[in-house]
Amino acid sequence: MYTILVLFILAVIPSVCTDQHTNDCDVLPKDPYIEMGSSIKLVCLTSCANSKVFWTLKSRPIDERLSNTINSTLTVVSLSNFTHHRATLECYSADTQQILGGSIITTYLKPRKISCTLDYVNQEGDGMPQLFTCSWEHQIDPSLTVNYTVWWASSLHSPPMEICSSNTTICTSNHSEIFDNFTVMVRAKTSNWEAYSDSYEFAPYQILKIIRPKVAVIVFSDHLLVTWNRSLGSQKCHCEIKHKALSADGGTQEWVRNKTLNKGENGKISIEKVESCIFYKISVRCALDQAPWSNWSEEKTVLSKLNKSHVRLNLWRKVTELDQNGVRRVRVMWTDIPSACQGTFKYTVTQMPYKEHMNSMNYTSCGNSTCDVDVDQDAQRLILTVFHDEVFLAKESVYVPAIGESLPQVTDIHTSTHEGVILVSWKAPVQPVSGYMVDWTHSGNHIYWKETKYTNATLFDLLDKKEYNITVTPLMADRTGHSTQALQICSRVGDPGKVDIIDVKAYDKSAYVSWDLKSQEECSGVVNDYTVFYGTLLNVTVDSKKQDVFLEDLKPDTQYRVYVEARALTGITRSTERFFTTKRFDPRLITALGVSGSVVIVLVLSLGLCCAIQWKKFMEKPVPNPGLSSVALWLSPSHQKRMCPFQPFHPSASFCDTVYTEETSRASTPPPDADCNGNPTTEQTEEYTDSVIILAPCVQAERPVEPVETQHSSSPTESTAFLSSESSPFNPYRSQSSGEVSSPRTSKQSKRIPAKNQEKATLKTVYVTLDMFEQDQSR
Ligand SMILES: *[C@@H]1O[C@H](CO)[C@@H](O)[C@H](O)[C@H]1NC(C)=O
Ligand SMILES: *[C@@H]1O[C@H](CO)[C@@H](O)[C@H](O)[C@H]1NC(C)=O
Ligand SMILES: *[C@@H]1O[C@H](CO)[C@@H](O)[C@H](O)[C@H]1NC(C)=O
Ligand SMILES: *[C@@H]1O[C@H](CO)[C@@H](O)[C@H](O)[C@H]1NC(C)=O
Ligand SMILES: *[C@@H]1O[C@H](CO)[C@@H](O)[C@H](O)[C@H]1NC(C)=O
Ligand SMILES: *[C@@H]1O[C@H](CO)[C@@H](O)[C@H](O)[C@H]1NC(C)=O
Ligand SMILES: *[C@@H]1O[C@H](CO)[C@@H](O)[C@H](O)[C@H]1NC(C)=O
Ligand SMILES: *[C@@H]1O[C@H](CO)[C@@H](O)[C@H](O)[C@H]1NC(C)=O
Ligand SMILES: *[C@@H]1O[C@H](CO)[C@@H](O)[C@H](O)[C@H]1NC(C)=O
Ligand SMILES: *[C@@H]1O[C@H](CO)[C@@H](O)[C@H](O)[C@H]1NC(C)=O
Ligand SMILES: *[C@@H]1O[C@H](CO)[C@@H](O)[C@H](O)[C@H]1NC(C)=O
Ligand SMILES: *[C@@H]1O[C@H](CO)[C@@H](O)[C@H](O)[C@H]1NC(C)=O
């Protein structure tokens, strides 16, 4: 902004000045480029002002001492060690404070730190190097296009020679006929300026990258011998020897060694401490004194040999319980020879009993790392012998104790897991032991073991979420103690098992969801609770004992998404989502409506039928014959409890002619239920004077051994009898029986049933009590 203002003033003021005066005011030179740190003098033409001037640099006044007024038209400022990247210098009239002119000074840097190398394109043959390469540093505005030119001059004072040009800070030439010290200079050129570097002197041997060495490796059983040829044997040189070991598990390890070769000496070095049967990659590079490194030689790959002293069998065994045949199976196991080792390996296990007949020994030929042998209950020593290409290689033995042998044993094994490793600790036995063997397995097929001096061990490289059986056995100088097994432990407890929604029943405002938990893995976490998520953000949590839930307060006719999460301390598993749509109406309501509709229809139909039948009967109703009646007690309402649902029939009649069957007084009570007309029958004792109760179907069902049955065969003539107190304790009165009665019809008078109803009457004998004398009592 300020710059724009200055430029504006610079443009306007001089024109104003020129209007008044013939001579221009200005600062010269205009917008110079100078090298960073160099000095510059600028002139202010002051003829238009005719006054003293002062200067500003980047808007800050400059020390007056740097300004020198030559005469009335000329003032000079001297700026030394100018280090601003870009700065505006302005000249002001001291009287008017007006700008008389300005100039923008930009600095540049020269190229520096030039380094050159002489190199070979052809890395096979010695001779003259083919490439001359120089590089340098140059800090410039990256947007600038710079042309660089490299100048070369031999020390023989010959004129500098341009040997290459480039637009980057590296330049390669094929000018290589260099025998003496020489100097190099770089010019950087842009459209505005050009900068020359200092000149750098080089000695040819100090910039020569010799051709890469040629390497040979000889493999010995315990070391590698590396030899190499280098060029320019007449010069002293330094070499680096790099060897990489590629271990069987894919890891690599790298070492670098130095070796200085004097004049005429060739390269040779021995690599000791070589591991058995692994691949080594070896390469070498060399450099003349103070010169750059050559390229690395081609990598030589060799396989090291099996070093007998490296063979560590780590022999161990695991013994099963004695079986019925008195045999214990022993899994003998050892660290096998690396499979990369060449040659054939043979393993045999020899069983050597501790008993007297030491001569009877059994040999078993084995696989590469395990062997199963059977032993009896006695102590044994198992000896593993390894042959490499039929030559004895190594031998180790392990002890199998006799059953019940008095030997130390560890106690209080404690296991815990931490980030995928199992920590085991135990209590040492009282007897002195030399160490412990810990073995662990999750399947029984692969058994891992390791020795420790301490009463603890950390088990690594475990399979995730597997149950491990861990055994600790104390070791003595030549024997082993008895093994102790720890409780099974999971290498890691995982998520709870898989949750599956097994059923979703949707209603209108609720839904029933049930699910199932399947623990597929042996180390699943224990579920703390389940959370059922449904709709958006709705959830309900139930404890781990429940596996179903009713979702309430749903909206009818709405689609819902539901899933279930099982939560354990060790993780959460989630079922897949299910979708359900709530019903528009409550299906139970529909069912209830359907059912009650049918019930109503049935009721209406039966009512109609009932009334029709009753009407018909009413029309044919016989009048009871008072001559056939007897006096009986009218049961109080409290005794009139049990009743047949269909019986009451009481066409309204006179108060005095209530007719009761004998059964009523014996066992039944008038029903509290509604009658055919829907009137409550509880009123009958008070209002109805004529009530006929047909008990037959009811009594038959409820009291199959009624005296009624016996009376069925009694005389058809009218007779009277006292009811037994057993069958009717409330009726001390004589009842009247009638052999022919009982069509469910009566009338105001007891009456003989017409003959046409006889066949129906045989089904049941009904006593009719004409209660006309007992009104007061019954009320
Ligand atoms: C001022 O000095 C410069 C350089 O010395 C000279 O060229 C110029 O003529 C002088 N101007 C006047 C008015 O003396
Ligand atoms: C130039 O300035 C730089 C820093 O501004 C300083 O280090 C250097 O000594 C100065 N050189 C001269 C010759 O004054
Ligand atoms: C540098 O020069 C090469 C050709 O010599 C050209 O292709 C490239 O564009 C140039 N780069 C710049 C930044 O000018
Ligand atoms: C160097 O290269 C130029 C062209 O790039 C070629 O003309 C010249 O013969 C080369 N000189 C040598 C010594 O290879
Ligand atoms: C840089 O070199 C190229 C060609 O080599 C040329 O066209 C260009 O003008 C040069 N630029 C400058 C600033 O010298
Ligand atoms: C060449 O340079 C090296 C080191 O810079 C110096 O030791 C040697 O004397 C120089 N040789 C000549 C001939 O100047
Ligand atoms: C090898 O030499 C380099 C320098 O040339 C040095 O830094 C390094 O320590 C040396 N290595 C050994 C193993 O001597
Ligand atoms: C034992 O190792 C050899 C190679 O060392 C291999 O060929 C052979 O299959 C291995 N045998 C078993 C049972 O693993
Ligand atoms: C050797 O093996 C045979 C049969 O497998 C068995 O009868 C015998 O008892 C074994 N001997 C010993 C010392 O284990
Ligand atoms: C681990 O030990 C248990 C008894 O604690 C046993 O039932 C199971 O078979 C053992 N598993 C293996 C693989 O040895
Ligand atoms: C095992 O015991 C040793 C000696 O008591 C102790 O230094 C070490 O920290 C213990 N390691 C673990 C994992 O407890
Ligand atoms: C469960 O629902 C409650 C509100 O009922 C809400 O505050 C909570 O964040 C929900 N929980 C989850 C895990 O969404």
Side-chain angles (χ1 to χ4, degrees):
M1 179 64 200
Y2 191 77
T3 318
I4 292 167
L5 186 69
V6 167
L7 289 174
F8 172 76
I9 292 166
L10 281 175
V12 172
I13 300 292
S15 62
V16 172
C17 290
T18 46
D19 285 348
Q20 294 164 345
H21 306 279
T22 49
N23 291 336
D24 289 344
C25 285
D26 205 356
V27 174
L28 294 173
K30 275 270 162 258
D31 301 346
Y33 288 84
I34 61 165
E35 194 187 325
M36 174 78 78
S38 63
S39 303
I40 188 171
K41 280 186 177 170
L42 292 102
V43 174
C44 186
L45 303 176
T46 59
S47 50
C48 69
N50 280 324
S51 82
K52 293 200 79 174
V53 298
F54 67 92
W55 301 84
T56 62
L57 183 67
K58 285 185 152 182
S59 307
R60 262 178 248 135
I62 293 179
D63 189 346
E64 269 183 36
R65 284 169 291 175
L66 299 175
S67 178
N68 180 19
T69 307
I70 306 287
N71 55 32
S72 61
T73 62
L74 211 61
T75 302
V76 176
V77 69
S78 301
L79 303 172
S80 60
N81 194 11
F82 195 85
T83 51
H84 296 285
H85 178 62
R86 191 177 166 86
T88 305
L89 179 77
E90 284 154 343
C91 174
Y92 287 82
S93 158
D95 293 347
T96 61
Q97 306 282 313
Q98 276 184 333
I99 289 184
L100 303 177
S103 183
I104 297 167
I105 306 165
T106 311
T107 57
Y108 57 85
L109 285 162
K110 59 187 181 185
R112 55 195 200 106
K113 290 195 183 172
I114 300 171
S115 68
C116 297
T117 56
L118 279 167
D119 202 356
Y120 291 86
V121 177
N122 175 12
Q123 289 282 337
E124 298 311 315
D126 254 334
M128 288 304 290
Q130 294 93 23
L131 293 175
F132 178 63
T133 305
C134 287
S135 63
W136 53 92
E137 286 180 9
H138 195 202
Q139 287 178 336
I140 44 149
D141 182 347
S143 65
L144 277 180
T145 310
V146 187
N147 284 354
Y148 296 102
T149 310
V150 179
W151 303 83
W152 176 90
S154 100
S155 55
L156 297 170
H157 305 291
S158 55
M161 191 164 89
E162 182 185 323
I163 55 164
C164 73
S165 57
S166 141
N167 57 11
T168 60
T169 58
I170 185 164
C171 191
T172 301
S173 146
N174 62 3
H175 177 85
S176 58
E177 302 204 352
I178 298 166
F179 306 99
D180 292 312
N181 291 0
F182 62 93
T183 56
V184 165
M185 192 171 64
V186 175
R187 182 188 68 190
K189 192 174 178 205
T190 69
S191 46
N192 293 315
W193 49 266
E194 60 177 42
Y196 287 85
S197 73
D198 299 335
S199 73
Y200 287 71
E201 187 180 357
F202 298 99
Y205 281 128
Q206 291 177 0
I207 61 165
L208 181 64
K209 260 176 88 170
I210 56 175
I211 60 171
R212 61 184 184 185
K214 290 178 189 62
V215 178
V217 182
I218 305 163
V219 181
F220 292 90
S221 70
D222 56 348
H223 72 278
L224 306 174
L225 183 65
V226 184
T227 57
W228 64 97
N229 286 332
R230 48 96 172 217
S231 66
L232 285 175
S234 58
Q235 300 282 319
K236 184 184 171 190
C237 83
H238 310 279
C239 296
E240 277 187 347
I241 304 95
K242 180 166 71 178
H243 67 280
K244 270 191 281 191
L246 285 80
S247 38
D249 57 16
T252 58
Q253 237 186 320
E254 192 178 294
W255 299 265
V256 178
R257 292 173 59 186
N258 292 342
K259 170 99 180 171
T260 300
L261 300 179
N262 291 318
K263 289 177 185 169
E265 193 185 1
N266 251 331
K268 181 178 175 182
I269 201 169
S270 159
I271 299 173
E272 312 284 338
K273 293 185 188 159
V274 171
E275 282 183 63
S276 291
C277 310
I278 66 166
F279 286 97
Y280 281 91
K281 291 187 170 211
I282 296 146
S283 53
V284 179
R285 66 177 182 179
C286 296
L288 296 180
D289 216 8
Q290 297 177 38
W293 285 112
S294 71
N295 292 341
W296 284 105
S297 71
E298 271 183 77
E299 221 168 32
K300 281 274 179 232
T301 304
V302 294
L303 175 65
S304 61
K305 289 193 173 165
L306 175 61
N307 189 340
K308 212 169 157 176
S309 64
H310 290 168
V311 177
R312 295 271 177 283
L313 293 171
N314 297 319
L315 185 65
W316 187 234
R317 85 293 179 278
K318 216 161 157 51
V319 191
T320 63
E321 300 293 320
L322 196 69
D323 69 9
Q324 313 89 297
N325 305 325
V327 171
R328 292 183 289 166
R329 170 141 295 196
V330 183
R331 163 72 57 92
V332 186
M333 47 209 181
W334 58 91
T335 311
D336 58 346
I337 309 280
S339 56
C341 290
Q342 286 169 326
T344 53
F345 294 88
K346 218 174 88 186
Y347 304 87
T348 47
V349 167
T350 311
Q351 289 170 244
M352 208 171 77
Y354 264 56
K355 282 193 184 159
E356 303 79 54
H357 50 289
M358 290 282 283
N359 48 354
S360 77
M361 291 202 284
N362 271 359
Y363 298 91
T364 313
S365 225
C366 299
N368 287 346
S369 65
T370 60
C371 200
D372 286 336
V373 298
D374 290 342
V375 301
D376 56 18
Q377 74 240 26
D378 296 325
Q380 300 260 345
R381 179 157 290 279
L382 302 177
I383 303 153
L384 174 72
T385 317
V386 187
F387 298 91
H388 182 204
D389 290 335
E390 308 294 332
V391 178
F392 169 80
L393 179 69
K395 185 175 183 172
E396 223 172 291
S397 76
V398 68
Y399 181 75
V400 177
I403 284 180
E405 194 175 346
S406 166
L407 286 167
Q409 190 169 13
V410 304
T411 49
D412 295 342
I413 302 189
H414 180 257
T415 53
S416 61
T417 54
H418 179 67
E419 288 173 0
V421 304
I422 296 180
L423 309 172
V424 197
S425 60
W426 56 87
K427 221 174 122 197
V430 283
Q431 302 93 325
V433 296
S434 65
Y436 305 91
M437 191 65 89
V438 184
D439 62 68
W440 65 97
T441 178
H442 88 89
S443 65
N445 297 332
H446 265 284
I447 302 171
Y448 306 88
W449 68 101
K450 76 171 176 189
E451 202 178 324
T452 173
K453 281 191 174 59
Y454 307 113
T455 56
N456 64 29
T458 309
L459 314 182
F460 299 99
D461 297 333
L462 306 176
L463 294 177
D464 194 27
K465 291 193 273 183
K466 293 285 180 212
E467 283 184 322
Y468 275 88
N469 280 4
I470 301 166
T471 309
V472 182
T473 314
L475 305 173
M476 282 89 77
D478 62 335
R479 294 181 174 200
T480 65
H482 288 298
S483 303
T484 310
Q485 187 175 326
L487 291 175
Q488 279 194 323
I489 182 165
C490 284
S491 52
R492 184 169 73 85
V493 179
D495 299 336
K498 190 166 175 288
V499 195
D500 283 319
I501 295 181
I502 52 176
D503 195 15
V504 178
K505 282 199 188 80
Y507 304 105
D508 59 333
K509 286 182 189 159
S510 61
Y512 171 79
V513 180
S514 63
W515 60 89
D516 192 21
L517 180 77
K518 288 198 191 76
S519 300
Q520 306 119 312
E521 292 167 318
E522 50 202 270
C523 292
S524 298
V526 179
V527 176
N528 285 350
D529 55 39
Y530 297 100
T531 304
V532 182
F533 291 86
Y534 59 104
T536 45
L537 292 176
L538 294 171
N539 63 68
V540 53
T541 299
V542 297
D543 69 33
S544 60
K545 290 188 203 82
K546 284 196 73 177
Q547 295 203 335
D548 56 5
V549 74
F550 252 104
L551 307 177
E552 309 277 2
D553 301 330
L554 305 182
K555 292 200 190 88
D557 198 22
T558 306
Q559 195 187 49
Y560 281 90
R561 178 180 73 120
V562 65
Y563 63 87
V564 181
E565 276 185 3
R567 290 152 185 269
L569 284 178
T570 47
I572 295 176
T573 49
R574 170 189 281 211
S575 75
T576 54
E577 289 181 354
R578 286 270 288 261
F579 289 89
F580 66 86
T581 306
T582 46
K583 300 272 189 302
R584 194 182 293 267
F585 303 108
D586 189 346
R588 287 167 298 190
L589 180 71
I590 292 166
T591 315
L593 281 176
V595 168
S596 46
S598 337
V599 166
V600 164
I601 290 166
V602 166
L603 279 177
V604 166
L605 285 177
S606 13
L607 184 70
L609 189 63
C610 186
C611 292
I613 291 169
Q614 294 303 339
W615 180 250
K616 194 176 171 221
K617 283 176 185 170
F618 177 73
M619 297 305 285
E620 298 167 356
K621 178 164 56 180
V623 178
N625 181 2
L628 297 175
S629 61
S630 66
V631 178
L633 179 69
W634 188 342
L635 287 181
S636 70
S638 63
H639 291 125
Q640 302 171 346
K641 288 269 165 64
R642 283 181 18 211
M643 191 34 85
C644 177
F646 288 113
Q647 20 169 237
F649 178 62
H650 34 72
S652 65
S654 115
F655 192 61
C656 308
D657 64 356
T658 305
V659 177
Y660 273 85
T661 61
E662 189 67 25
E663 284 299 322
T664 314
S665 49
R666 274 190 207 169
S668 299
T669 58
D673 307 296
D675 63 9
C676 283
N677 298 312
N679 298 322
T681 52
T682 43
E683 296 163 21
Q684 76 183 52
T685 49
E686 289 170 14
E687 290 176 19
Y688 298 148
T689 51
D690 187 357
S691 179
V692 175
I693 297 161
I694 299 113
L695 284 168
C698 201
V699 170
Q700 255 182 337
E702 295 185 14
R703 307 186 66 160
V705 280
E706 280 298 323
V708 174
E709 288 295 333
T710 57
Q711 287 172 4
H712 179 75
S713 57
S714 65
S715 162
T717 58
E718 285 124 41
S719 62
T720 60
F722 284 104
L723 291 168
S724 72
S725 58
E726 175 252 339
S727 59
S728 183
F730 308 109
N731 190 359
Y733 302 102
R734 214 159 45 96
S735 295
Q736 189 174 44
S737 65
S738 167
E740 54 170 87
V741 186
S742 270
S743 144
R745 277 185 290 149
T746 48
S747 106
K748 292 180 183 180
Q749 288 176 292
S750 206
K751 202 180 180 181
R752 289 288 295 269
I753 303 295
K756 61 178 177 181
N757 289 329
Q758 279 291 31
E759 62 271 32
K760 283 188 206 166
T762 57
L763 286 171
K764 188 72 189 159
T765 304
V766 176
Y767 290 80
V768 176
T769 303
L770 196 61
D771 202 11
M772 51 179 59
F773 307 112
E774 298 285 351
Q775 285 296 332
D776 292 340
Q777 196 182 354
S778 65
R779 280 176 178 243

